[in-house]
Amino acid sequence: MDFDDSPDEAAYRARVRELLERHASELVRLRPGQEAVDPRTSEAELRRTQRVLADAGLVGVAWPAEFGGQGGTLMQQAIVSQELARAGVPALINHIGIGMCGPTVIAHGSQDQRERYLTRLLRADDVWCQLFSEPASGSDLAALRTTAVRDGDDWVVNGQKVWTTLAHVADLGILLTRTDPDRPKHAGLTMFVVDMHAPGVTVRPLRQMGGQSDFNEVFFDDVRIPDSERLGEPGEGWRVALTTLMNERVAIGGAGGTIGLPVEAFVQHARERLPGLDPERQVLARQAVGRAVVAALGARYSGYRRLTALSQGGLPGPEASAGKLAGTEAARLVADAGVRLLGDDAVYAATGEGDDRWQRTQSWIPGIAIAGGTDQVLRNIIGERVLGLPPEPRSDKTVPFSGGRR
Amino acid sequence: MNFDLDDDQRDIAAGARDFFRGSASPAAARAGLEGGRPEPGRAALSDIGFLGITVPESAGGAGRTLLDLAVVAEQGGAVLAAPSLVTPARAAVLLAGEPELAAGLADGSTSFAVLDGSPDGSAPSVDAADATTFLALDGEDLVVGAGEVVPGRPLDATRGLASVRLTSRRVLATGAGELWARARQVGAVVMAAEDLGGADRCVQLGVAYAQEREAFGRRIGSYQAVKHLLVDAWVGVEQLRSLVWWAAWAADANPGELPLAAAAAKACAAAVYEQAAGTLVQVHGGIGFTWEHDAHLFWRRAKVDRLLLGDEAEHLDAVARLAVAGALGT
Ligand SMILES: Cc1cc2nc3c(=O)[nH]c(=O)nc-3n(C[C@H](O)[C@H](O)[C@H](O)COP(=O)(O)OP(=O)(O)OC[C@H]3O[C@@H](n4cnc5c(N)ncnc54)[C@H](O)[C@@H]3O)c2cc1C
């Protein structure tokens, strides 16, 4: 057991640092106190940043070289992520493409699709989105209603997707559709790659509870998709989607930590704010800070354990769901303590000086407990797949979708 | 980076599991509440070498790391073994400069306990009830001596708690405050490891029952209200395991991190074990509330351990202070 870089890892880290320094002027950087850069306002800079990083070999580090990756290890990927965070580079604009869509294309795409898409994905020449959820099917994804009907060499798609992160900047998406309503709901699905600029695709922004607009609703009106854009066989869409969902949980929670909230920044905030509180409140605030730090450390070190297991050849399993659950809880505690440390300003949307970082963070937490599998759905997965508890009775698994609940 | 046990440690764990399963049990913990002897007892622990795991080889111990000891302690915790490995771990730190005393610790010829609080009337201290030789902090002096032992009526008989007033004392070291603090941190890590074993066992027992017990025509584990209780307890156990391993590793490999890691592990252990033991009782319904069922023995251990060697609030405060002072790095 050790937490130091091996000689190889240390050499790799040094090279990554050197590359980041060499390209520093070409990369978007977060200002102090800023945790994200909005693709709505900075799309071009964010695309350029990812392209520069990709050309330097710092994107898709653990992807096989034949798919445009570096053929490196997961440990190297983790090192790059750490160094990007350290250098203040914001999340890559194509994080959904890299984390979910790309691995799905690698696993289920044709050779032609892999060649056409993967290198462009890594360079953010194409930004990708994930078109799964619909107004009537989120957790119960297999109940989705968007249809694709075969017409010659094409499929014709009609329906609506919702909560689609990045659809407003995306060029491509992976789209889960129903192609056979007469089969049971999991059996009648098919996955496609869809061109977001195709005629009949309409993207409308949705506004989140915190006021920002990171996700959208997407309408499909007689959108034609060539059969060559199918991912996997007709009727195999559920199996393809499971690849995406598993990668999603690994991408969100698998690495451990507090899901994008750096605990060091929180501790720095506590360092600045604690002395200003009156002594009795300090005692209480330290309890909240301590609890948040313990949760964050638990999530971090559990992430190290998963990373170790994966780098020794383990496969990402349902345990990643535990990482997302624990990371969400840690993020909630960090955000809550962060706001409370503001004292009277905690009841406003920003401090008197206009700093709204902790309030924004607070209003973002409910979303992470929903996105990529709600807390409840993840508990079901862990209960059934890790602990081996019996599933709930399900009345809808075997009946034809069309004769089921519609 | 490599955050996993090595093969050697896995072997140690397997051996310890066999030993403890054969020599201790919740049934023995129950009997202890009615006057029975703690199992496996000091003699058996010294015979198998568990009292000297971290004692240097030159003093008759195994000279191994705290992580090795924590791996063993987890297995003891799973069956509510007594006495605790907290005392040998803590005493081994305090006796680093006293090879003869350390030899007595390792070979079991001296029954040590480490006292918390004042030597003139200590706080309830682990395994003091049947000890004969006590280590205590007297001002800034580390002292050893005999004492008058006053046990209370046990809530958890496996912890051997008693208050002690020293009746003799010999100074082993002056200016020993830091050494004492480190020994207490090491003790906290080992207790967290025992709690990890107990909490993990609670989840296993709860899951097993939820897989077979039926209500309203279904197995109760299929109800989310039951399932999610067990999942939350399991997630807690996994976080605790990570913190315990990290803290135990830090004790030898990166001592500067030990204060933060030990406090985090102990705070986490207090909450996780209580949650897991409470869940175990709840999932069992009425049978879980009976004297004959094992659930309350884990519950008792959890209720007691959460307050020993600093409660959750004390350790959360320490984590906050240490983090703000820079213990996480920047
Ligand atoms: C910030 C954000 C970004 C997102 N980005 C994307 C995206 O890019 N692409 C995409 O396709 N989707 C995206 N989503 C959608 C997300 O996947 C769904 O919101 C989520 O799966 C929940 O589905 P739902 O909203 O329909 O809620 P529902 O499934 O209707 O759930 C409502 C409530 O019921 C509970 N519930 C449902 N089923 C069960 C069950 N079996 N057991 C217990 N409780 C249950 C849920 O936990 C929840 O509390 C995003 C969501 C958010 C918040």
Side-chain angles (χ1 to χ4, degrees):
Chain A
M1 187 176 292
D2 73 87
F3 298 92
D4 293 335
D5 287 339
S6 68
D8 281 354
E9 288 162 3
Y12 184 74
R13 190 183 297 279
R15 212 180 88 218
V16 172
R17 277 192 193 173
E18 195 236 308
L19 285 168
L20 288 178
E21 266 160 42
R22 186 181 320 156
H23 294 286
S25 65
E26 301 159 84
L27 305 174
V28 181
R29 302 295 186 107
L30 296 166
R31 293 186 308 276
Q34 190 189 13
E35 72 280 3
V37 173
D38 188 352
R40 229 171 256 284
T41 52
S42 311
E43 181 181 337
E45 297 91 307
L46 286 168
R47 282 186 190 247
R48 186 195 62 222
T49 295
Q50 185 176 327
R51 188 165 59 246
V52 169
L53 292 171
D55 291 345
L58 298 176
V59 183
V61 173
W63 284 23
E66 56 177 315
F67 305 135
Q70 300 299 312
T73 64
L74 288 165
M75 208 61 86
Q76 289 177 335
Q77 176 61 64
I79 287 170
V80 169
S81 302
Q82 286 166 3
E83 292 303 318
L84 288 174
R86 184 170 167 274
V89 177
L92 299 182
I93 187 168
N94 216 3
H95 62 99
I96 292 183
I98 298 164
M100 294 86 134
C101 307
T104 310
V105 173
I106 289 176
H108 302 283
S110 64
Q111 194 52 32
D112 170 59
Q113 284 170 320
R114 291 161 167 174
E115 275 164 22
R116 275 187 292 128
Y117 290 136
L118 293 171
T119 300
R120 291 180 57 82
L121 183 157
L122 291 176
R123 300 182 79 237
D125 294 335
D126 302 317
V127 171
W128 288 63
C129 64
Q130 175 185 341
L131 298 147
F132 284 18
S133 303
E134 299 184 6
S137 60
S139 303
D140 186 8
L141 179 59
L144 60 86
R145 297 175 186 190
T146 293
T147 55
V149 176
R150 186 78 195 238
D151 180 27
D153 286 341
D154 292 345
W155 296 77
V156 180
V157 177
N158 281 285
Q160 181 194 346
K161 296 289 173 177
V162 75
W163 324 131
T164 319
T165 304
L166 281 176
H168 52 293
V169 291
D171 306 291
L172 295 165
I174 51 175
L175 172 68
L176 191 59
T177 65
R178 184 165 305 283
T179 44
D180 189 350
D182 296 327
R183 303 203 54 202
K185 65 184 199 180
H186 293 90
L189 304 175
T190 304
M191 188 81 80
F192 295 95
V193 176
V194 63
D195 176 358
M196 294 297 287
H197 308 298
V201 178
T202 311
V203 179
R204 290 202 200 121
L206 293 168
R207 199 163 176 213
Q208 294 134 225
M209 58 188 271
Q212 307 87 337
S213 291
D214 299 316
F215 58 25
N216 308 270
E217 51 185 351
V218 182
F219 298 88
F220 296 88
D221 296 299
D222 290 329
V223 175
R224 298 191 79 85
I225 302 181
D227 187 53
S228 57
E229 295 307 329
R230 186 164 36 75
L231 272 182
E233 295 304 311
E236 288 277 296
W238 184 249
R239 207 165 63 83
V240 181
L242 287 181
T243 301
T244 317
L245 297 177
M246 205 54 247
N247 278 286
E248 179 166 32
R249 269 147 223 163
V250 173
I252 298 180
T258 36
I259 309 193
L261 287 186
V263 67
E264 284 78 8
F266 165 68
V267 167
Q268 176 60 29
H269 174 57
R271 196 172 289 139
E272 287 160 12
R273 284 287 175 158
L274 273 172
L277 303 178
D278 70 53
E280 276 171 41
R281 307 248 15 128
Q282 279 190 33
V283 174
L284 298 174
R286 277 202 309 273
Q287 289 291 301
V289 170
R291 200 177 294 282
V293 170
V294 169
L297 290 172
R300 171 184 294 180
Y301 282 92
S302 297
Y304 291 163
R305 274 172 58 210
R306 278 192 301 278
L307 183 58
T308 299
L310 287 177
S311 67
Q312 290 168 354
L315 292 174
E319 294 78 13
S321 297
K324 201 213 151 197
L325 260 188
T328 299
E329 177 60 13
R332 185 182 286 127
L333 291 169
V334 166
D336 187 58
V339 169
R340 281 165 180 276
L341 282 165
L342 298 174
D344 283 351
D345 282 338
V347 298
Y348 296 114
T351 64
E353 297 81 51
D355 179 2
D356 67 351
R357 176 173 197 200
W358 290 99
Q359 290 91 337
R360 259 188 300 126
T361 302
Q362 169 172 258
S363 67
W364 177 58
I365 298 298
I368 63 175
I370 296 169
T374 68
D375 282 359
Q376 288 71 35
V377 165
L378 297 183
R379 287 187 174 100
N380 290 346
I381 292 172
I382 295 169
E384 289 160 30
R385 308 258 307 283
V386 181
L387 299 184
L389 290 167
E392 288 183 279
R394 295 269 299 269
S395 54
D396 61 343
K397 266 184 124 161
T398 47
V399 295
F401 183 73
S402 55
R405 19 182 276 167
R406 276 199 296 188
Chain B
M1 187 185 66
N2 173 14
F3 190 24
D4 196 0
L5 301 180
D6 60 28
D7 289 341
D8 204 19
Q9 284 153 346
R10 269 189 276 268
D11 287 347
I12 292 174
R17 185 185 306 120
D18 291 345
F19 167 76
F20 280 116
R21 286 202 178 157
S23 63
S25 64
R30 182 186 300 99
L33 291 166
E34 292 165 330
R37 264 173 32 82
E39 300 286 353
R42 283 184 200 260
L45 287 182
S46 76
D47 286 350
I48 191 160
F50 288 172
L51 297 184
I53 295 174
T54 56
V55 171
E57 282 176 290
S58 56
R64 302 194 68 105
T65 64
L66 189 65
L67 182 57
D68 295 340
L69 194 158
V71 162
V72 172
E74 178 188 342
Q75 300 303 328
V79 290
L80 303 173
S84 172
L85 295 185
V86 166
T87 300
R90 205 174 162 190
V93 174
L94 295 173
L95 297 176
E98 299 286 335
E100 274 174 37
L101 290 174
L105 169 70
D107 68 18
S109 57
T110 313
S111 293
F112 281 99
V114 182
L115 301 184
D116 293 299
S118 164
D120 300 316
S122 78
S125 299
V126 174
D127 295 318
D130 68 345
T132 51
T133 305
F134 302 97
L135 295 165
L137 189 68
D138 188 3
E140 285 289 298
D141 295 347
L142 173 65
V143 299
V144 64
E148 181 187 47
V149 176
V150 184
R153 183 177 353 144
L155 177 59
D156 167 17
T158 65
R159 280 309 188 206
L161 295 173
S163 297
V164 176
R165 189 181 61 81
L166 287 191
T167 51
S168 68
R169 61 191 80 176
R170 177 162 71 87
V171 175
L172 295 178
T174 55
E178 268 183 39
L179 178 70
W180 183 265
R182 197 162 73 78
R184 190 170 182 266
Q185 288 153 11
V186 163
V189 173
V190 174
M191 186 169 282
E194 290 179 341
D195 292 349
L196 167 63
D200 191 24
R201 188 77 189 128
C202 288
V203 174
Q204 289 170 20
L205 293 171
V207 165
Y209 191 68
Q211 276 166 335
E212 70 186 30
R213 172 77 176 170
E214 293 192 2
F216 302 97
R218 305 162 36 181
R219 291 184 286 164
I220 59 169
S222 67
Y223 293 103
Q224 287 189 9
V226 172
K227 182 179 288 168
H228 292 188
L229 277 179
L230 289 164
V231 167
D232 286 346
W234 178 80
V235 172
V237 166
E238 287 307 305
Q239 307 301 296
L240 176 58
R241 186 183 307 282
S242 304
L243 292 175
V244 165
W245 285 2
W246 169 46
W249 167 88
D252 293 295
N254 195 7
E257 262 183 349
L258 177 64
L260 176 73
K266 184 66 173 74
C268 183
V272 163
Y273 199 1
E274 221 184 345
Q275 178 188 17
T279 294
L280 178 63
V281 175
Q282 184 67 20
V283 163
H284 276 81
I287 190 81
F289 186 62
T290 61
W291 184 261
E292 289 73 21
H293 198 275
D294 289 347
H296 73 100
L297 300 158
F298 293 97
W299 179 90
R300 285 168 184 274
R301 176 64 82 77
K303 288 295 177 193
V304 168
D305 276 10
R306 70 188 177 133
L307 302 175
L308 297 176
L309 300 175
D311 65 3
E312 186 188 20
E314 177 189 317
H315 288 295
L316 291 178
D317 195 72
V319 167
R321 287 177 189 272
L322 289 163
V324 166
L328 277 175
T330 40

